[in-house]
Amino acid sequence: MHKPVLVLDENIPGWEGLEALATLRRLPGRAITAADVADADALMVRSVTRVDAALLAGSRVGFVGTATIGTDHLDTAWLDRHGIRWASAPGCNANAVVDYVCSAIGALPGLLECLLDGGRVGIVGYGNVGRRLHQRLAAAGIRCVAHDPLLSPAQCPVQVSLEAVCQVDLLCLHAPLTREGAHPSWHMFDARRLHSLPAHTVLLNAGRGGVVDNAALLASLAARPRPVVLDVWENEPAINAALLASVTLGTPHIAGYSVEGKLAGTRQIRAAYGQYRGLTVPETAPLDRAGTLALASATGGVEALRAALMHAYDIRRDDQALRRALGADPSGAAFDALRKYYPERREFSSWLIPADLDAASINCLQAWGFGR
């Protein structure tokens, strides 16, 4: 009896227990070729693998799973026309991306205080990430507005125009990358829109690199510097070194790279694969708690909150790692190596809140996602 062959991006964890059901072939996601999948029955990828006719035509693949929220790297129309089942993992790493934004808020000088003192956050793209970011910040008492032209006011209760959403203290981009339709997002933030942003606005993109015209952003920063946080870039992995040098914080497309987020993505596509095969796929093992937040050196209030944010996840370490890596090796290999060997990062919810804190501090940390 034929044992199915399952080709996996080597950066997708949590496939233990399937060896009895399929032959697992792990490969670097960006290097998967048509020859690699010619005899495969299923393919499991992340966002770095383009899945289309060039990769799959003539292969035996009947199922494609992507352990990511986005699907712009899949030619879903072609897959549908050829009867190839596909599945994604919506929402799998949304909490991790929200944690990333919160870490940036804590790391940028004065931003946390600004937002807690009546500042506003604008969110472009009100999907799984945008909605959860709004919920997290609203629980912390921070005002938010959002723009998503694909949603009704009932679906996005803080909906404003694109022009209005930009008039904020922190502008967070979480839109998928689309080039067609009534509201394409590709280069939504071009030279004109970047020029129209208020001088004090912090720009953060943890959605898709092409939503921002990277060349225009570099020119804009040369003319009028502003705080910018980029996790996603055009032309990954060969990103623009001059742009990295110009932004405040730059990271190698790892905003959603928490242990919980990766395993949640795996669970979703494992289940979809089991459904496709008509099999019961064993569950992945549950995770233990990460530990207890270390806040002993904090003086309370905002500083205790910042200490918690940085203890759970310090975005500055990823920024420094990217700058060091590209300084030593400007090729795309350095960018991909940081993703492949990314250190274990746990979500805020996995960290216990110290039991000796007062009730107000506990409530504050819970609002920011800790200890849930």
Side-chain angles (χ1 to χ4, degrees):
M1 182 178 176
H2 168 69
K3 189 175 183 180
V5 174
L6 203 163
V7 172
L8 297 166
D9 182 316
E10 63 185 4
N11 286 340
I12 303 177
W15 286 91
E16 298 78 11
L18 261 72
E19 292 86 351
L21 304 177
T23 298
L24 305 184
R25 187 182 298 160
R26 293 179 173 86
L27 298 168
R30 216 181 290 277
I32 293 173
T33 67
D36 294 325
V37 300
D39 65 340
D41 299 273
L43 172 64
M44 305 298 179
V45 300
R46 292 189 61 82
S47 59
V48 298
T49 305
R50 176 66 184 168
V51 181
D52 54 14
L55 184 65
L56 296 187
S59 76
R60 205 166 61 199
V61 171
F63 178 89
V64 174
T66 180
T68 59
I69 295 174
T71 59
D72 51 276
H73 54 295
L74 307 185
D75 186 344
T76 55
W78 186 88
L79 295 175
D80 289 341
R81 285 198 305 272
H82 289 80
I84 299 173
R85 290 266 295 275
W86 59 272
S88 61
C92 65
N93 62 359
N95 287 327
V97 179
V98 173
D99 290 350
Y100 176 95
V101 175
C102 293
S103 180
I105 290 172
L108 292 173
L111 182 57
L112 179 58
E113 289 83 353
C114 168
L115 296 180
L116 291 174
D117 194 33
R120 292 194 308 159
V121 174
I123 301 168
V124 176
Y126 200 74
N128 282 299
V129 174
R131 185 174 64 255
R132 292 189 204 187
L133 177 60
H134 173 213
Q135 292 168 346
R136 176 93 58 94
L137 296 180
I142 295 172
R143 296 184 298 158
C144 298
V145 292
H147 176 74
D148 193 323
L150 303 180
L151 300 181
S152 68
Q155 294 169 308
C156 179
V158 288
Q159 180 87 264
V160 297
S161 69
L162 182 55
E163 290 68 28
V165 82
C166 293
Q167 306 303 307
V168 291
D169 300 285
L170 170 63
L171 179 60
C172 299
L173 310 184
H174 302 292
L177 185 62
T178 57
R179 292 174 179 264
E180 300 174 350
H183 304 283
S185 65
W186 182 76
H187 283 192
M188 180 192 304
F189 285 81
D190 55 12
R192 181 186 63 81
R193 185 154 285 123
L194 290 168
H195 180 73
S196 72
L197 294 179
H200 73 281
T201 297
V202 178
L203 177 65
L204 184 153
N205 189 9
R208 286 291 184 261
V211 172
V212 178
D213 182 336
N214 281 199
L217 177 59
L218 180 58
S220 173
L221 291 174
R224 187 174 62 163
R226 75 169 66 250
V228 172
V229 181
L230 290 186
D231 181 57
V232 289
W233 314 74
E234 291 195 283
N235 305 314
E236 293 177 15
I239 69 171
N240 188 322
L243 182 56
L244 173 60
S246 300
V247 302
T248 314
L249 294 168
T251 53
H253 200 154
I254 48 72
Y257 263 37
S258 68
V259 175
E260 289 85 353
K262 287 182 177 182
L263 290 178
T266 299
R267 280 196 295 272
Q268 287 178 248
I269 59 173
R270 273 174 66 123
Y273 175 69
Q275 208 170 36
Y276 163 71
R277 291 278 318 280
L279 300 170
T280 299
V281 177
E283 286 288 330
T284 55
L287 291 169
D288 294 329
R289 287 281 191 170
T292 302
L293 292 169
L295 308 179
S297 61
T299 57
V302 173
E303 284 311 309
L305 172 56
R306 179 175 283 110
L309 296 171
M310 296 300 99
H311 178 91
Y313 168 53
D314 190 341
I315 188 176
R316 296 170 297 189
R317 287 198 292 265
D318 285 332
D319 169 78
Q320 292 160 6
L322 180 58
R323 294 180 196 276
R324 283 195 303 269
L326 261 67
D329 177 8
S331 75
F335 188 93
D336 275 348
L338 290 171
R339 290 160 56 83
K340 180 177 180 179
Y341 300 109
Y342 190 67
E344 181 177 286
R345 176 179 134 212
R346 301 296 302 275
E347 293 183 3
F348 287 7
S349 59
S350 73
W351 288 95
L352 293 170
I353 298 171
D356 58 352
L357 291 182
D358 60 89
S361 296
I362 291 173
N363 290 338
C364 172
L365 291 174
Q366 287 178 336
W368 283 84
F370 293 104
R372 290 181 175 173

